[in-house]
Amino acid sequence: MSKISPIYNMLNDRLVQFGVFHQLLSVESMVPYYGRYSAKMFIKGKPIRFGYTIWSLCGNDCYPYHLKLYQGKGEGRNQPLGKSIITKMVDVISSRSNTEKHQLYFENFFTSYDLLVQLTESNAKATGTIRENRSAGAAKALSTTKELQKMERGTFDHRSDGKVYVAKWNDNDVVGIESNWETHDPVHTVNRRVKGGVKDVSQPHLINSYNKGMGGVDLMD
């Protein structure tokens, strides 16, 4: 990695030379690779399960602002890796812009209750899908996944402690999501295919917002 890291450092300087000019930003990435190398990652359930990871901060139309090569287990020793990566990306945003002007979206690999509280202190607006064991106990207060699956499509449950808002929404699967600034209101209506045709179902606002904010890295790829 030492041979190509200087190229990425130079590239990152160029990418932010005009500042951070997108309001909607997202963090994710995976580069397919099936050979042997210690920095290769495996992420279960992803379309690309094996490969190098280049953590990428992108606008929602695919413009990249920062590319960080994952170089192995040494990263993020003092805090969870996902939290370390998001903190780095927020530092990139704040160095070239006002964090309050942007909305950051990321997947459940990164999201945790503690991270969103920390981002609130940095005046950074963030929303991300969440794993139940990272919700600081909120998952126990919400309807279970099995209970929601038995309910009508579009049903959702939510909780908030005044700092972080957590919701679970029943779509094709039950989706857990967390935000330090968005809630379910206003509730949107989306079309879904069901037996017998197409049906309008309810969709919480933060899910709708998440879908709009994510995808920039996929477009870049």
Side-chain angles (χ1 to χ4, degrees):
M1 292 292 188
S2 62
K3 294 182 179 180
I4 60 174
S5 290
I7 298 174
Y8 274 83
N9 292 336
M10 181 176 66
L11 178 60
N12 284 330
D13 288 339
R14 299 295 188 275
L15 291 174
V16 293
Q17 63 180 315
F18 303 114
V20 180
F21 46 85
H22 285 87
Q23 181 184 13
L24 305 182
L25 303 169
S26 61
V27 179
E28 58 176 329
S29 197
M30 180 69 93
V31 180
Y33 179 74
Y34 293 91
R36 294 187 177 185
Y37 189 72
S38 60
K40 184 181 71 173
M41 293 187 73
F42 168 74
I43 300 181
K44 184 178 180 180
K46 289 290 184 180
I48 301 174
R49 294 179 299 159
F50 295 93
Y52 290 108
T53 294
I54 304 177
W55 311 115
S56 306
L57 175 67
C58 284
N60 63 325
D61 70 351
C62 88
Y63 183 89
Y65 290 101
H66 192 81
L67 306 170
K68 180 173 173 56
L69 284 162
Y70 174 68
Q71 300 184 37
K73 296 180 179 179
E75 294 188 25
R77 285 180 176 175
N78 298 324
Q79 58 182 336
L81 178 59
K83 187 176 182 180
S84 173
I85 296 301
I86 296 298
T87 301
K88 170 65 176 176
M89 297 305 181
V90 171
D91 288 342
V92 172
I93 297 169
S94 62
S95 68
R96 298 286 178 165
S97 181
N98 183 344
T99 54
E100 294 182 0
K101 295 180 179 179
H102 306 280
Q103 301 162 19
L104 189 60
Y105 299 90
F106 38 80
E107 296 181 331
N108 60 25
F109 176 83
F110 305 99
T111 316
S112 68
Y113 176 87
D114 292 339
L115 172 61
L116 291 188
V117 171
Q118 178 182 311
L119 293 179
T120 301
E121 296 170 354
S122 303
N123 295 319
K125 300 174 182 177
T127 300
T129 51
I130 183 74
R131 299 175 185 177
E132 291 190 357
N133 61 351
R134 295 184 182 178
S135 63
K140 295 180 180 179
L142 293 166
S143 301
T144 66
T145 298
K146 289 184 178 179
E147 288 172 343
L148 283 173
Q149 287 174 335
K150 294 177 181 178
M151 298 179 185
E152 185 179 359
R153 194 168 180 176
T155 302
F156 62 91
D157 193 9
H158 58 89
R159 295 290 186 278
S160 175
D161 64 355
K163 297 179 181 179
V164 175
Y165 176 95
V166 185
K168 292 175 74 174
W169 178 54
N170 182 26
D171 192 24
N172 286 328
D173 198 359
V174 175
V175 180
I177 193 164
E178 193 170 75
S179 180
N180 66 355
W181 74 287
E182 294 182 294
T183 69
H184 65 276
D185 193 43
V187 177
H188 299 260
T189 300
V190 293
N191 293 326
R192 289 293 184 268
R193 291 188 177 275
V194 296
K195 291 182 179 179
V198 177
K199 180 181 178 181
D200 289 339
V201 302
S202 298
Q203 184 185 65
H205 175 68
L206 74 169
I207 294 280
N208 186 276
S209 182
Y210 176 85
N211 291 338
K212 291 178 180 178
M214 291 293 288
V217 175
D218 293 332
L219 288 172
M220 181 188 69
D221 290 344

